[in-house]
Amino acid sequence: MISISKLYCGLAGGGDSLRYGHGGSGGSARRPIVVWNCTSRCNLRCVHCYAGLPDEPCTGELSTAQAKEMLRDLADFGVPVILFSGGEPLCRPDVVELISTARSLGIRAVLSTNGTLIDSALADRLKQAGVDYIGVSLDGVGETNDVFRGRPGAFEQACDALRLCRQAGIRTGLRFTITVRNFRHIGGIFDLAAREEVGRICFYHLVNVGRAEHLQAGELDHDATRRTVDQIIDLTARQIAEGRPIEVLTVDNHADGPYLYLRMLGEGNPRASLVIELLRSSGGNASGEGIACVWWDGKVHPDQFWRSAVLGNVLYKPFSRIWSDESNSLLSALRDRRKHLIGRCASCRFLDACGGNFRVRALAATGNPWAADPACYLSDQEIAPEITADNL
C-alpha cells in the first residue's frame, strides 16, 4: 500500500506503523498481515473478482473449530492483522463469532465486503465483535458499480452499509479497483466519500487473475495509469487542503511510490527525501514476507493473487510453521528476491522501495515469476541508476 495522504500531504494514518514502522525486508521474522479468504460463497458475481470462484458453493471450508485453532496459532505467532475476505465473508454464518475470537486473541480484525448484506442489526453485531475496520467495495458510481457487481441496486445497498456502519461507530472506507471501464469515476468516488463522511479510500490497481484474467478492457495502459495516479494525488491534496483529512492509499502497484517521489522531486517538494526513506523502509511488495493468504480450504499462498503457489495447508501444519519453513525455496527466494529478479526490475534504482512489484503479474505475462512486472509504468530513464562520483 502506498499512502498518498501520508507521503504527499504528511497526514498520519491508522496503518502507518505497519507500512513504515519496520526496516524493510525482515525475512521469516517479519510477521505478516494475513488475508483469509474465509469462504467461497458470494451473493454477487463481480466481473473482476480475483478469486474467480464458481457459481456453486465449494466444499471443504475450514470449520469453526478449525478456524479458531488457526486464529490461536496466528496470535501466538504474532500476526498483527487478519483481513476477512472471500467470496463475500458475510456469507459465512460464523464470521462475526470469528472476528470476536480474533479480537479476543489480540489480532486486529478487518473486514472486506461488498456491503450488500449489512443491515443495522448486523452492523451492531460487528461493532460488538470488535471489528477494527470495514472496507466496502465500490467500482463506480450508480449503475457502473451495479454492472461490475452483476446486480442492480448493489450501489445503493453498499452506500446504506457505509451509513449503518458509521452510525454503529465502526471505522469504514471505500475500496475501488481501477480499470479501463471505471477510472473516470475516481472523482465521483472522492465526492461520495466526502458526502458519506468516509475517512479512507483504497484504490486498487487491477491484477489480472481469477475472472479478471479475461476481463475485456481491463488494465490501463502506462500513460493512462500515470494520469490516473496524478489525479488521485491531486484530489487527495485538494480534499486535505479544504479541511477534510481523508486517508488515501493506492494498492497493488508499487511503482506508485517511486512515481510519487519523482513527482515531488520535480515540484521541489522538501518532503521528497523523507518520502524515499519511508518507501525504502517499507520495502515495497511484501508477498511472502509482510503479506500472506490463507484460502478457504486452508491452503497458504504468498499473497491472495498467487494461488498457483501453495506453501502448505493449515489443516495439516500450523501457519506459523509453514511461514517459518526456511527450506521452502519460494519463500526463501521472495525474502531475498534481489538475487532472482531479471530484466528491468533487477537493475532498477528503486528496487529497495518497490520490491520488484507483483511477481504473479510477471508470471502471468511471461511464465517467469522473476521477470519484470508489466504493470510498472516508469520509463527506463526514470529507473536508471543515478550517476554519482562513485559510479562514474
Side-chain angles (χ1 to χ4, degrees), residues 310-383:
V310 180
L311 306 174
N313 191 307
V314 299
L315 291 175
Y316 311 114
K317 187 176 180 179
F319 176 89
S320 56
R321 288 176 55 200
I322 293 170
W323 205 249
S324 303
D325 184 1
E326 295 183 2
S327 69
N328 186 295
S329 59
L330 179 57
L331 280 181
S332 296
L334 285 170
R335 293 166 184 173
D336 194 16
R337 62 185 73 188
R338 182 181 287 274
K339 293 180 180 178
H340 304 276
L341 291 168
I342 61 174
R344 298 175 79 242
C345 290
S347 59
C348 176
R349 66 177 168 126
F350 295 117
L351 178 56
D352 289 344
C354 172
N357 222 332
F358 264 80
R359 299 296 88 221
V360 72
R361 274 206 197 96
L363 176 64
T366 70
N368 184 345
W370 304 111
D373 181 345
C376 175
Y377 52 90
L378 300 176
S379 70
D380 290 343
Q381 182 179 2
E382 287 170 325
I383 69 171

Side-chain angles (χ1 to χ4, degrees), residues 84-386:
F84 289 80
S85 188
E88 168 51 54
L90 294 176
C91 286
R92 181 170 174 132
D94 61 355
V95 70
V96 176
E97 177 184 355
L98 294 173
I99 288 171
S100 179
T101 298
R103 294 297 295 118
S104 71
L105 292 167
I107 306 174
R108 287 178 55 197
V110 173
L111 178 69
S112 175
T113 175
N114 61 47
T116 61
L117 298 177
I118 295 178
D119 57 19
S120 58
L122 180 53
D124 289 339
R125 289 178 59 212
L126 288 165
K127 174 63 176 178
Q128 292 166 10
V131 68
D132 289 274
Y133 172 79
I134 294 179
V136 176
S137 297
L138 281 174
D139 293 300
V141 177
E143 185 180 356
T144 296
N145 177 77
D146 295 354
V147 171
F148 267 81
R149 300 278 155 186
R151 181 161 125 185
F155 175 77
E156 290 300 333
Q157 289 174 316
C159 291
D160 287 343
L162 287 168
R163 297 177 195 120
L164 291 169
C165 289
R166 180 164 54 83
Q167 290 166 12
I170 301 171
R171 191 167 68 95
T172 59
L174 290 171
R175 306 170 76 249
F176 180 97
T177 299
I178 304 165
T179 75
V180 170
R181 295 163 62 175
N182 69 354
F183 75 101
R184 292 179 179 85
H185 285 246
I186 286 174
I189 291 295
F190 272 92
D191 292 341
L192 174 67
R195 198 163 55 245
E196 298 295 339
E197 300 180 14
V198 173
R200 191 177 199 240
I201 312 175
C202 292
F203 291 99
Y204 291 76
H205 293 267
L206 186 68
V207 181
N208 286 114
V209 298
R211 290 193 201 116
E213 183 179 359
H214 306 294
L215 179 63
Q216 271 193 324
E219 289 181 290
L220 302 182
D221 63 29
H222 289 178
D223 287 341
T225 300
R226 295 169 82 102
R227 292 194 300 271
T228 298
V229 173
D230 278 331
Q231 181 189 20
I232 292 169
I233 295 169
D234 292 340
L235 290 173
T236 302
R238 182 186 305 169
Q239 290 250 6
I240 292 173
E242 291 174 352
R244 175 168 161 69
I246 188 167
E247 184 180 14
V248 177
L249 304 104
T250 64
V251 190
D252 297 339
N253 192 335
H254 292 276
D256 291 350
Y259 181 73
L260 177 66
Y261 164 70
L262 291 171
R263 170 172 161 159
M264 293 174 74
L265 274 184
E267 294 172 346
N269 191 313
R271 289 178 46 81
S273 59
L274 172 62
V275 164
I276 195 62
E277 289 177 15
L278 289 172
L279 291 169
R280 285 175 173 147
S281 77
S282 174
N285 178 269
S287 300
E289 299 181 87
I291 190 77
C293 176
V294 179
W295 209 240
W296 52 268
D297 57 1
K299 292 188 181 74
V300 178
H301 308 286
D303 61 49
Q304 64 269 43
F305 302 103
W306 200 349
R307 295 204 312 280
S308 62
V310 180
L311 306 174
N313 191 307
V314 299
L315 291 175
Y316 311 114
K317 187 176 180 179
F319 176 89
S320 56
R321 288 176 55 200
I322 293 170
W323 205 249
S324 303
D325 184 1
E326 295 183 2
S327 69
N328 186 295
S329 59
L330 179 57
L331 280 181
S332 296
L334 285 170
R335 293 166 184 173
D336 194 16
R337 62 185 73 188
R338 182 181 287 274
K339 293 180 180 178
H340 304 276
L341 291 168
I342 61 174
R344 298 175 79 242
C345 290
S347 59
C348 176
R349 66 177 168 126
F350 295 117
L351 178 56
D352 289 344
C354 172
N357 222 332
F358 264 80
R359 299 296 88 221
V360 72
R361 274 206 197 96
L363 176 64
T366 70
N368 184 345
W370 304 111
D373 181 345
C376 175
Y377 52 90
L378 300 176
S379 70
D380 290 343
Q381 182 179 2
E382 287 170 325
I383 69 171
E386 291 181 288

